[in-house]
């Protein structure tokens, strides 16, 4: 019998029952919720008159809709406030632990799960948010779900799912200086398109992936959804275990040893067969930037933009961005720099930005926001004095939340303005109606803030 | 959930690829705590100018009463927001036809009685052409026989759907009732797996 992939091992261990010629009943270990996609599911539960099945396996935070200034004051926007209030009331009524505003564990749902040790190898994790794929960096099956599915998990701790196909994407070799995890994933998406992974669950592997820190692995898995994939994952190894050790909810003592024995079985067997395999060479990757209105519309910073070839969707995107086909992207002037989101708002990202901007000043034309992924990241940044370095460079360090990643709160990029953003989506209006987003790594964003335009970070390093 | 059997309707054509759910319903309209009323803001920024006036040339401002949306490849990519399916349904759509759907959108649609019909690229082009030639052209979707047809012409194509989901849609059943009926098996699983 052929061996199993990492995905198969975890999936198979969680199937309660398979519906003949249909989906499978999949058991969920951890359910993360937030204010935007949960209220209708709580309402559904109450309409059925049933309790939340496993409240202890449910963790809530307020992130999508929260202000990133003055979080100690009541929320101004009445609609945002009512959504956050609904979360507070629903969690209280159903016995769910809530890390709401003011709580030291509050933050973006995909930042706090790993940082608190809630996210562990071998688990199944879901959340009503597509970037749940982030947690796959720990060698678990984690994916985003819709609100009806949130209600399924509330009701039964299970979800009905069709088993996805498996794909392995290997990135081999070592990365050039100035090239990081974000560039890897933007490169992969540009190569295989936003639907290249649809129907698949992706395992990332290869020496370039293995050499990444946990933060970097999270960035890669985070954007696997931008390939259309159901999720992404990376086999746990010493880097994973070292990151987890001592975290609040990570197992301790004897439990740790017991878990370690299990975690070490979580890898793809040599003879396992994937439905699809793709290989890339790390050496081919340069710092990436997107120029269009979906995450696959990306190029290396030194490259010219492609030519439309009469494709109306492509032409519409360039028109929206006010770019010309074939133009260089380097030296393109921008207005905003946003460093944040569940893709790149962890402490490592803030350190990288601080190191690049230390002793320098942002360009006069730039507004630079840096929004930490969680209260803990914010605290840590202050402890390390990063806040001062960033303030001296003219960056505004805000309080944790999704912020300008999706602009549900006040943090909006004005219409027509260009923003270099470390987030994951450059859709029309994603950062505010009419806003124009260029996705990039924290390093590329940091140097854009200093120069006021798209800059090759490699030149900056020399 | 409402049952779906057969639908005959005109169609609204949106021949763009990679339509993401941020376009279907922008994030700033996700602040409601109920499922109702999202149709008003369906395709908000394509349908209306910033000052709230209509963009005359957007398809939904020209074509009224269509229960079928025809869309380009990779419809529904991006955010997992189920609000996108609610908005389409609330507006009056019952079917979205495309040559490719994003995964989460497809699930969300099926969970809300909105049928995603995946056709070949070639057939999608035929549909766009037929509707462009005659905006009153009716399209028929027959779920039982898994067939989509251009009414009055000899043009039809079969489409695939998971047998379980088909059964749910034809009978208006939802997944939660099904899962609740499995509670014993779930508890047994917990005792075994989490022991
Ligand atoms: S930071 Fe952006 S992508 Fe991440 S959970 Fe928040 S809104 Fe979603």
């Amino acid at each position: 019998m052929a061996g199993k992939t990492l995905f198969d091992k975890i999936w198979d261990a969680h199937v309660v029952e398979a519906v003949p010629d249909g989906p499978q009943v999949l058991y969920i270990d951890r359910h993360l919720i937030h204010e935007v996609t949960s209220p209708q599911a709580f309402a559904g539960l109450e309409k059925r008159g049933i309790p939340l099945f496993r409240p202890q396996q449910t963790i809530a935070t307020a992130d999508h809709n929260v202000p990133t200034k003055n979080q100690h004051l009541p929320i101004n926007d009445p609609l945002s406030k009512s959504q956050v209030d609904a979360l507070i009331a629903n969690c209280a009524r159903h016995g769910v632990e809530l890390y709401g505003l003011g709580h030291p564990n509050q933050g973006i749902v995909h930042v706090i799960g790993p940082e608190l040790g809630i996210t562990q190898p071998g688990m199944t994790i879901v959340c009503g948010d597509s970037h749940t794929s982030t947690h796959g960096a720990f060698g678990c099956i984690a994916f985003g779900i819709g609100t009806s599915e949130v209600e399924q998990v509330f009701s039964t701790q299970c979800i009905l799912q069709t088993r996805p196909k498996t794909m392995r994407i290997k990135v081999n070799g070592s990365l050039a200086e100035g090239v990081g995890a974000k560039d890897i994933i933007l490169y992969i998406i540009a190569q295989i398109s936003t639907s290249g992974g649809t129907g698949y669950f992706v395992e990332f592997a290869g020496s370039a992936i293995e050499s990444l820190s946990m933060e970097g692995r999270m960035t890669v898995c985070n954007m696997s959804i931008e390939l259309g994939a159901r999720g992404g994952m990376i086999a746990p190894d010493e880097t994973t275990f070292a990151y987890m050790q001592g975290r609040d909810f990570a197992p301790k003592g004897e439990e740790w040893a017991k878990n370690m024995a299990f975690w070490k079985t979580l890898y793809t067997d040599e003879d396992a067969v994937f439905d699809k395999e793709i290989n890339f060479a790390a050496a081919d990757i340069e710092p990436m930037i997107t120029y269009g209105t979906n995450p696959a519309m990306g190029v290396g910073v030194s490259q010219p933009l492609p030519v439309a070839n009469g494709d109306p969707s492509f032409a519409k995107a360039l028109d929206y961005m006010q770019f010309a086909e074939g133009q260089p992207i380097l030296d393109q002037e921008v207005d905003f720099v946003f460093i944040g989101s569940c893709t790149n708002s962890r402490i490592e990202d803030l350190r990288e930005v601080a190191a690049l901007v230390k002793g320098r000043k942002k360009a006069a034309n730039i507004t630079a926001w840096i929004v930490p992924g969680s209260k803990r990241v914010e605290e840590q940044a202050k402890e390390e004095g990063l806040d001062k370095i960033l303030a001296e460079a003219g960056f505004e360090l805000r309080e944790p939340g999704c912020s300008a990643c999706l602009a549900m709160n006040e943090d909006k990029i004005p219409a027509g303005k260009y923003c270099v953003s470390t987030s994951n989506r450059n859709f029309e209006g994603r950062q505010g109606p009419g806003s124009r987003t260029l996705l990039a790594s924290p390093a590329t964003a940091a140097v854009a803030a200093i120069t006021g335009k798209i800059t090759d970070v490699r030149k900056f390093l020399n | 959930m409402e049952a779906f059997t057969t639908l005959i309707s005109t169609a609204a054509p949106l021949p763009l690829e990679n339509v993401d759910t941020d376009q279907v319903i922008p994030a700033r309209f996700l602040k409601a705590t109920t499922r109702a009323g999202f149709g008003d803001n369906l395709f908000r920024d394509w349908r209306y100018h910033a000052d709230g006036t209509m963009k005359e040339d957007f398809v939904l401002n020209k074509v009224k009463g269509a229960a079928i949306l025809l869309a380009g490849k990779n419809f529904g990519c991006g955010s997992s927001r189920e609000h996108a399916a609610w908005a389409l349904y609330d507006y009056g759509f019952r079917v979205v036809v495309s040559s490719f759907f994003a995964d989460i959108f497809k699930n969300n649609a099926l969970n809300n009685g909105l049928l995603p019909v995946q056709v070949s690229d070639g057939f999608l082009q035929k549909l766009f052409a037929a509707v462009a030639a005659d905006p009153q052209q009716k399209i028929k979707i027959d779920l039982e026989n898994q067939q989509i047809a251009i009414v009055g012409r000899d043009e039809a194509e079969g489409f695939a759907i998971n047998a379980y989901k088909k059964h749910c849609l034809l009978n208006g059943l939802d997944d939660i009732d099904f899962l609740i009926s499995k509670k014993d098996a779930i508890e047994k699983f917990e005792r075994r797996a989490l022991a």
Side-chain angles (χ1 to χ4, degrees):
Chain A
M1 202 177 83
K4 281 182 159 191
T5 66
L6 170 61
F7 175 85
D8 294 331
K9 288 180 183 176
I10 303 174
W11 181 278
D12 291 347
H14 287 84
V15 175
V16 174
E17 206 176 292
V19 180
D21 198 14
Q24 305 184 330
V25 179
L26 190 74
Y27 191 80
I28 301 302
D29 294 316
R30 293 285 181 276
H31 186 197
L32 309 173
I33 63 170
H34 61 85
E35 75 277 22
V36 177
T37 56
S38 66
Q40 291 87 353
F42 276 115
L45 198 63
E46 287 171 11
K47 201 165 140 213
R48 282 171 208 265
I50 54 173
L52 206 162
F53 188 58
R54 293 289 178 253
Q56 319 86 305
Q57 286 163 245
T58 316
I59 299 98
T61 189
D63 56 1
H64 280 64
N65 217 337
V66 302
T68 55
K69 272 181 161 175
N70 295 322
Q71 288 186 346
H72 59 289
L73 298 178
I75 301 176
N76 275 329
D77 176 351
L79 288 175
S80 299
K81 182 169 184 324
S82 87
Q83 226 172 30
V84 172
D85 286 347
L87 183 70
I88 296 171
N90 283 325
C91 288
R93 213 164 35 243
H94 292 276
V96 173
E97 179 86 44
L98 167 65
Y99 301 139
L101 287 184
H103 195 287
N105 291 348
Q106 182 267 339
I108 303 173
V109 63
H110 311 310
V111 174
I112 67 168
E115 119 191 315
L116 295 173
I118 294 167
T119 303
Q120 294 170 18
M123 285 183 164
T124 48
I125 300 178
V126 294
C127 173
D129 185 283
S130 50
H131 292 99
T132 309
S133 56
T134 312
H135 306 264
F138 290 78
C140 48
I141 293 182
F143 55 91
I145 57 177
T147 298
S148 294
E149 294 169 315
V150 170
E151 196 180 331
Q152 293 178 23
V153 185
F154 278 170
S155 312
T156 61
Q157 202 58 33
C158 287
I159 184 174
L160 272 176
Q161 285 291 299
T162 312
R163 187 189 187 105
K165 291 178 285 185
T166 55
M167 179 191 296
R168 178 160 60 189
I169 298 179
K170 275 191 179 168
V171 185
N172 300 305
S174 43
L175 294 167
E177 213 190 346
V179 179
K182 182 66 162 283
D183 302 305
I184 297 182
I185 189 67
L186 284 174
Y187 176 82
I188 295 173
I189 300 164
Q191 296 294 314
I192 72 173
S193 92
T194 57
S195 57
T198 304
Y200 292 92
F201 212 98
V202 176
E203 180 178 344
F204 295 97
S207 48
I209 299 291
E210 286 159 22
S211 69
L212 294 174
S213 65
M214 286 317 293
E215 282 86 351
R217 294 179 190 188
M218 285 188 253
T219 300
V220 170
C221 290
N222 174 276
M223 288 191 75
S224 51
I225 181 75
E226 262 62 63
L227 293 166
R230 208 68 187 84
M233 65 199 314
I234 294 170
D237 60 11
E238 290 308 323
T239 307
T240 321
F241 309 139
Y243 177 96
M244 290 186 61
Q245 191 131 39
R247 301 211 172 242
D248 295 44
F249 294 95
K252 309 257 152 49
E254 239 174 77
E255 276 298 304
W256 175 267
K258 212 173 106 191
N259 275 284
M260 269 295 247
F262 163 57
W263 293 340
K264 292 202 161 157
T265 66
L266 297 172
Y267 54 84
T268 290
D269 295 332
E270 288 273 337
D271 55 343
V273 181
F274 288 84
D275 295 302
K276 190 167 184 177
E277 295 224 44
I278 305 178
N279 292 296
F280 294 107
D284 292 344
I285 307 176
E286 64 167 330
M288 294 288 294
I289 186 103
T290 69
Y291 57 86
T293 56
N294 76 57
M297 301 178 81
V299 287
V301 279
S302 68
Q303 304 296 311
L305 302 196
V307 176
N309 283 330
D311 171 356
S313 304
F314 187 93
K316 182 176 190 295
L318 281 202
D319 180 56
Y320 181 85
M321 295 298 288
Q322 283 295 296
F323 287 151
E325 46 184 62
Q327 76 159 75
I329 194 73
L330 216 51
D331 293 335
Q332 166 69 41
E333 276 200 27
V334 296
D335 311 288
F336 282 76
V337 167
F338 170 65
I339 291 164
S341 91
C342 55
T343 315
N344 284 118
S345 65
R346 286 170 279 268
I347 188 68
E348 187 182 70
D349 303 312
L350 269 58
R351 284 183 191 135
E352 185 178 19
V353 171
L356 278 161
V357 305
K358 188 171 182 174
R360 296 182 162 115
K361 284 255 183 278
K362 71 164 184 68
N365 58 315
I366 295 286
T367 304
W369 293 337
I370 186 152
V371 181
S374 70
K375 266 290 168 219
R376 296 221 176 177
V377 171
E378 185 188 347
E379 292 307 312
Q380 177 80 27
K382 287 182 178 162
E383 230 165 77
E384 297 180 16
L386 305 182
D387 57 332
K388 299 212 176 55
I389 297 172
L390 294 165
E392 275 159 23
F395 282 67
E396 193 183 330
L397 183 65
R398 296 183 161 223
E399 291 171 275
C402 294
S403 181
C405 172
L406 91 167
M408 261 189 99
N409 68 354
E410 300 80 31
D411 307 347
K412 292 180 174 43
I413 307 302
K417 297 291 182 194
Y418 291 100
C419 178
V420 180
S421 177
T422 66
S423 56
N424 43 52
R425 288 184 173 147
N426 51 354
F427 300 144
E428 282 185 31
R430 172 79 177 184
Q431 298 194 287
S435 61
R436 298 179 182 140
T437 303
L438 296 94
L439 301 175
S441 69
T444 297
V447 297
I450 299 298
T451 61
K453 49 195 187 180
I454 303 303
T455 301
D456 190 333
V457 63
R458 290 169 298 187
K459 300 224 172 79
F460 220 79
L461 294 172
N462 302 327
Chain B
M1 201 172 81
E2 234 172 277
F4 185 109
T5 49
T6 300
L7 175 77
I8 299 175
S9 166
T10 52
L14 184 64
L16 287 173
E17 295 184 356
N18 302 314
V19 173
D20 59 81
T21 53
D22 272 76
Q23 308 317 314
V24 179
I25 181 96
R28 60 188 191 282
F29 300 111
L30 306 184
K31 298 189 184 189
T33 52
T34 64
R35 289 178 188 233
F38 287 101
D40 292 345
N41 294 314
L42 176 70
F43 293 116
R44 177 76 202 198
D45 294 336
W46 288 352
R47 225 165 118 197
Y48 299 99
H49 294 286
D51 63 5
T53 56
M54 264 203 286
K55 293 187 177 175
E56 302 291 341
D57 58 349
F58 183 62
V59 57
L60 296 193
N61 294 328
K62 292 191 292 190
V63 177
K64 297 284 175 198
I68 300 170
L69 179 68
L70 290 183
K73 190 170 77 188
N74 200 23
F75 184 83
C77 59
S79 161
S80 59
R81 60 190 68 165
E82 192 163 317
H83 312 67
W86 300 340
L88 287 161
Y89 194 93
D90 188 51
Y91 182 85
F93 287 117
R94 294 295 175 269
V95 171
V96 184
V97 181
S98 177
S99 55
F100 199 85
F101 289 96
D103 266 344
I104 304 184
F105 174 79
K106 196 197 278 180
N107 275 345
N108 287 341
L110 287 166
N111 283 337
N112 287 279
L114 177 70
L115 179 65
V117 172
Q118 185 163 330
V119 296
S120 65
D121 277 321
F123 195 72
L124 185 66
Q125 293 320 317
K126 278 185 192 158
L127 287 167
F128 277 129
V131 171
D134 175 11
Q136 294 311 312
Q137 174 65 53
K138 292 248 178 5
I139 311 289
K140 179 176 176 188
I141 283 125
D142 177 350
L143 177 58
E144 180 67 54
N145 294 306
Q146 297 180 217
Q147 200 187 58
I148 173 168
I150 303 174
V151 175
R153 300 204 199 177
D154 204 10
E155 301 270 21
E157 192 171 89
F159 62 87
I161 182 171
N162 176 293
Y164 166 83
K165 281 292 178 193
K166 177 177 172 182
H167 173 78
C168 288
L169 272 175
L170 285 172
N171 297 289
L173 301 174
D174 81 20
D175 286 349
I176 299 176
D177 296 323
F178 175 82
L179 281 172
I180 290 172
S181 76
K182 300 287 171 192
K183 212 154 238 178
D184 286 347
I186 294 168
E187 286 180 337
K188 207 166 120 204
F189 174 89
E190 285 183 324
R191 284 194 295 275
R192 184 163 51 81
L194 309 177

